[in-house]
Amino acid sequence: MSRIKTRFDALKAEGRGALIPYLQAFDPDLETSLELLKAMPAAGADLIEIGVPFSDPSADGLTIQAAALRGLKAGATLTRVLEMVKRFREGDDATPIVLMGYLNPIDSYGPARFCADAAAAGVDGLIVVDLPPEEADLLEDDARANGLDIVRLVAPNTSDARLRQILPEASGFIYYVSITGITGTRTATEDELAAAMPRIRAVSDLPVAVGFGIRTPSQAAVASRTGDAAVVASALITTLAATLDDGRATDQTVPRVLGQLRELAEAVRG
């Protein structure tokens, strides 16, 4: 059984949803990023989404775009991000890790080699934002062969017919992009989330993680209760960015991000 399924099954038995913090790899440097990654489970992360820095992150708002640029400036590459996950796995074999990124770096790396190396490093799932289901054969067979889940993205404007077309091939969990737009902009209301879930659950039994626009503990609690997980990205990166001095980490960077994560986790746990 995959780490993702094991974790969601355990949380279902506990009667609560998951908190999935987002971390941009190498933001603002490898050492700080790895320190945050290692500390996130103890601060309340149930699963962790790691963003692979990319120069053209079309789904991301300004906050994550800036984080990606800091990561690239700090030397992030796909190879080095996998090495970072491997170092995390030296001390944590339980917390699921999902890589979020774009197709171009994976295609350049080589999909077959990437999937084998990602699995060996300890990655559990992939979110490839710009990989349409119709072209997923570029990655799916190699991902499945290496035990990697392919997480599908759906949005409020995804039709019922489209849900029936793409969700049967999903694995791990479904990522519900709760707004029509980029990350870090507006937040979906509780009524909007409640209206969306039945359409998805009618097609798939997989857990549904709600992301985009979740910034506060109360919003995370609603999202994890209405869906099965809340993904928090821009809010944590905004906090991180506010601690930097001329782009460099300070003694406030790690404690303030982890402090915010603990507040989010407390709300999700009720």
Side-chain angles (χ1 to χ4, degrees):
M1 184 182 296
S2 74
R3 288 190 191 92
I4 292 175
K5 179 170 175 48
T6 298
R7 181 55 55 93
F8 273 111
D9 285 352
L11 294 176
K12 186 175 181 180
E14 288 182 30
R16 70 172 177 88
L19 175 63
I20 308 178
Y22 176 98
L23 174 79
Q24 186 75 224
F26 285 65
D27 178 26
D29 55 69
L30 170 60
E31 293 74 20
T32 303
S33 186
L34 183 59
E35 185 178 354
L36 282 169
L37 177 61
K38 288 181 175 179
M40 279 183 162
D46 296 303
L47 299 83
I48 300 173
E49 181 183 353
I50 298 177
V52 178
F54 183 56
S55 58
D56 186 22
S58 56
D60 296 314
L62 293 176
T63 301
I64 296 182
Q65 288 181 30
L69 291 176
R70 289 193 295 269
L72 290 170
K73 187 177 179 181
T77 63
L78 197 47
T79 298
R80 297 190 74 191
V81 173
L82 295 182
E83 289 172 353
M84 178 178 157
V85 175
K86 190 173 183 180
R87 290 176 66 182
F88 169 78
R89 281 282 173 244
E90 292 171 355
D92 188 320
D93 193 42
T95 306
I97 295 290
V98 179
L99 289 191
M100 179 273 192
Y102 295 82
L103 183 59
N104 186 281
I106 295 173
D107 197 36
S108 297
Y109 193 103
R113 185 167 71 94
F114 166 72
C115 289
D117 289 354
V123 172
D124 301 293
L126 305 173
I127 301 173
V128 185
V129 178
D130 56 349
L131 178 64
E134 288 79 4
E135 298 177 16
D137 57 350
L138 287 170
L139 197 61
E140 274 186 343
D141 289 347
D142 292 315
R144 287 199 182 97
N146 287 281
L148 298 172
D149 286 318
I150 296 285
V151 177
R152 295 284 195 211
L153 295 141
V154 298
N157 58 351
T158 304
S159 68
D160 289 346
R162 184 68 171 164
L163 291 176
R164 289 193 296 272
Q165 180 183 359
I166 64 177
L167 292 189
E169 299 300 321
S171 59
F173 61 91
I174 296 163
Y175 192 122
Y176 179 61
V177 178
S178 59
I179 57 172
T180 50
I182 56 177
T183 60
T185 52
R186 80 174 190 90
T187 302
T189 67
E190 184 170 3
D191 288 345
E192 288 173 329
L193 293 180
M197 289 303 120
R199 292 204 305 125
I200 300 172
R201 296 196 192 286
V203 180
S204 175
D205 294 329
L206 290 174
V208 180
V210 179
F212 283 47
I214 299 173
R215 306 189 68 84
T216 69
S218 62
Q219 290 167 350
V222 167
S224 66
R225 187 173 64 241
T226 308
D228 300 290
V231 182
V232 182
S234 296
L236 292 169
I237 293 175
T238 297
T239 297
L240 180 148
T243 69
L244 303 181
D245 181 3
D246 197 23
R248 297 186 181 86
T250 66
D251 60 2
Q252 291 299 305
T253 301
V254 171
R256 284 185 57 184
V257 174
L258 295 179
Q260 185 181 18
L261 179 55
R262 291 188 189 94
E263 292 175 359
L264 292 161
E266 184 177 347
V268 167
R269 285 162 171 74

